[in-house]
């Protein structure tokens, strides 16, 4: 079995679902002839035709509105926002219609749509091409927010997102699009949504993260292990609805928690997790919860970009602070 990258896993999942469900269509800017700016949809228009892989105008508002309309009428559209920083014009359609139609119609109309977006920094691009704004969507009832961190999870979670009867925001960390490969069977097996994945067991500190930062979290766990510190690493994967039970179970075991995310610190999704830990696990804590995040600024240009992103060193330092505090 050939090994594939995360971006190839996205293509593989789209191709599988389109081959097995005629109601699945793909639309967005340059997704057809060019195969997408990162080539996530490469070859799909040749295989499935122009009526199922649609090149749209450069108009995010229209892309989002057409996606809602298609889904409300029984199709399963997968729309692409070329970069997550381009998604702001789509938010009115997503927040006011896609997320509300099931409730507004008391279940008569659902919106089985997926919005894909290359997410985050780390590719030496300008700020609108490097944003981490997942927290803007986690506060919208009616939306699922999903972010894979590996080729296998990208494949399985995207299949699950397309099959879900409700709208899903599917954010793809572009920094790790081609960072490494792994074997991913093209067997149509979806992974469960609304579930955290425990990637490494530990007893001394819990590291909670998602997306591209899973790499730094696992590297930090290796460095901590060399110092005799056992770190448990949790990939949240589905931010909303949040599988808090898995996080709580880990914190009850370790008594310490470090939350890592790329978005700015203030009101980032890590703040919600920290608040839940304070509400439900306060008496299990041996030290204050630490957050390792981006800064409360726009992401800088490439010369300072990697200083903005959470690093392995910052995660290790935060974990050690939690042990020193207790």
């Amino acid at each position: 079995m050939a090994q594939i990258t995360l971006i190839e896993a996205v293509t593989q999942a789209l191709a599988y679902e389109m081959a097995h469900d005629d109601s699945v269509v793909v639309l967005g800017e340059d997704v057809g002839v060019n195969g997408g700016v990162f080539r996530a949809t490469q070859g799909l228009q040749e295989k499935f035709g122009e009526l199922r892989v649609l090149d749209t105008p450069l108009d995010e508002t229209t892309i989002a509105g057409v996606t809602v309309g298609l889904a409300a009428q029984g199709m399963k559209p997968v729309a692409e926002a070329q970069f997550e920083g381009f998604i702001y014009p789509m938010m009115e359609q997503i927040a006011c219609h896609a997320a509300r139609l099931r409730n507004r119609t008391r279940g008569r109309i659902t919106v089985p749509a997926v919005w894909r977006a290359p997410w985050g920094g780390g590719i030496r691009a300008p700020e609108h091409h490097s944003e981490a704004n997942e927290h803007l969507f986690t506060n919208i009832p009616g939306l699922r927010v999903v972010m894979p961190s590996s080729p296998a999870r990208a494949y399985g979670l995207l299949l699950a997102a397309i099959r879900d009867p409700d709208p899903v925001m599917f954010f793809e960390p572009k920094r790790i699009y081609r960072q490494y490969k792994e074997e991913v069977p093209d067997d149509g097996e979806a992974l469960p949504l609304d579930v955290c994945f425990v990637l490494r067991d530990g007893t001394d500190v819990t590291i909670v993260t998602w997306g591209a930062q899973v790499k730094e979290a696992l590297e930090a766990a290796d460095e901590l292990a060399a110092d005799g510190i056992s770190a448990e690493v949790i990939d949240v994967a589905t931010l909303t609805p949040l599988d808090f039970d898995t996080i709580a179970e880990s914190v009850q075991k370790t008594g310490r928690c470090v939350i890592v995310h790329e978005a700015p610190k203030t009101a980032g999704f890590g703040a919600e997790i920290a608040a839940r830990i304070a509400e439900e696990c306060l008496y299990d804590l041996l030290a204050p919860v630490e957050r390792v995040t981006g800064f409360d600024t726009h992401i800088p240009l490439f010369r300072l970009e990697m200083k903005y992103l959470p690093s392995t060193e910052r995660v290790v330092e935060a974990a050690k602070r939690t042990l020193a505090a207790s």
Side-chain angles (χ1 to χ4, degrees):
M1 182 190 306
Q3 294 190 330
I4 61 174
T5 61
L6 192 152
I7 192 70
E8 291 169 330
V10 169
T11 311
Q12 184 170 286
L14 290 170
Y16 183 94
E17 207 62 9
M18 293 184 77
H20 291 82
D21 187 342
D22 290 340
S23 68
V24 178
V25 296
V26 171
L27 67 155
E29 299 164 3
D30 298 323
V31 299
V33 174
N34 288 341
V37 67
F38 291 100
R39 304 299 181 259
T41 55
Q42 191 165 35
L44 294 183
Q45 192 176 77
E46 295 175 8
K47 185 173 184 179
F48 298 104
E50 294 180 2
L51 293 180
R52 295 188 64 199
V53 184
L54 299 97
D55 278 318
T56 68
L58 303 182
D59 183 353
E60 283 79 10
T61 302
T62 296
I63 294 169
V66 169
T67 299
V68 174
L70 286 169
Q73 296 303 311
M75 303 297 287
K76 295 180 181 177
V78 182
E80 179 182 296
Q82 204 166 66
F83 290 88
E84 190 172 350
F86 297 175
I87 210 165
Y88 300 110
M90 295 182 166
M91 290 186 70
E92 194 274 337
Q93 295 288 344
I94 293 170
C96 295
H97 302 294
R100 296 171 185 260
L101 270 177
R102 176 185 285 278
N103 182 69
R104 183 181 294 155
T105 65
R106 297 299 183 261
R108 289 184 293 108
I109 297 176
T110 59
V111 182
V114 177
W115 279 267
R116 295 181 41 251
W119 169 95
I123 64 165
R124 302 167 69 91
E127 78 274 10
H128 272 311
H129 303 71
S130 303
E131 299 202 13
N133 56 19
E134 68 277 10
H135 53 292
L136 300 181
F137 296 90
T138 57
N139 197 39
I140 300 175
L143 287 183
R144 275 187 167 82
V145 179
V146 178
M147 194 180 303
S149 62
S150 73
R153 285 188 286 282
Y155 178 81
L157 291 171
L158 183 53
L159 289 176
I162 296 171
R163 296 169 188 174
D164 194 84
D166 292 301
V168 178
M169 308 304 300
F170 194 86
F171 296 134
E172 300 162 7
K174 54 185 176 289
R175 177 160 63 93
I176 59 173
Y177 262 160
R178 295 177 173 86
Q179 196 169 72
Y180 67 96
K181 296 182 177 183
E182 64 183 4
E183 292 185 355
V184 182
D186 191 14
D187 55 9
E189 280 291 319
L191 288 173
L193 299 173
D194 312 343
V195 170
C196 292
F197 297 95
V198 179
L199 304 184
R200 179 176 179 138
D201 291 327
T203 56
D204 295 324
V205 60
T206 300
I207 302 175
V208 178
T209 189
W210 51 90
Q213 273 58 56
V214 166
K215 174 180 178 292
E216 282 74 26
L218 290 171
E219 289 174 352
D222 287 338
E223 290 194 19
L224 290 165
D227 291 334
I229 300 168
S230 174
E232 184 148 298
V233 178
I234 296 176
D235 176 10
V236 174
T238 302
L239 280 70
T240 51
L242 175 65
D243 171 20
F244 185 72
D245 288 348
T246 295
I247 296 172
E249 183 178 341
S250 179
V251 171
Q252 288 161 6
K253 175 173 61 175
T254 66
R256 307 171 185 89
C257 185
V258 177
I259 302 167
V260 185
H261 64 73
E262 186 173 318
K265 185 174 187 177
T266 300
F269 192 65
E272 170 63 21
I273 296 175
R276 290 283 300 273
I277 292 172
E279 289 172 351
E280 302 181 35
C281 307
L282 180 63
Y283 295 110
D284 299 303
L285 288 175
L286 300 173
V289 174
E290 289 273 349
R291 285 184 286 162
V292 180
T293 70
F295 298 95
D296 288 345
T297 67
H298 298 296
I299 188 167
L301 296 175
F302 66 86
R303 189 172 296 178
L304 296 174
E305 184 179 30
M306 298 313 293
K307 295 184 181 297
Y308 176 94
L309 302 177
S311 64
T312 301
E313 180 183 9
R314 288 173 61 196
V315 178
V316 169
E317 289 173 353
K320 289 184 176 181
R321 283 196 299 272
T322 66
L323 275 91
S326 56

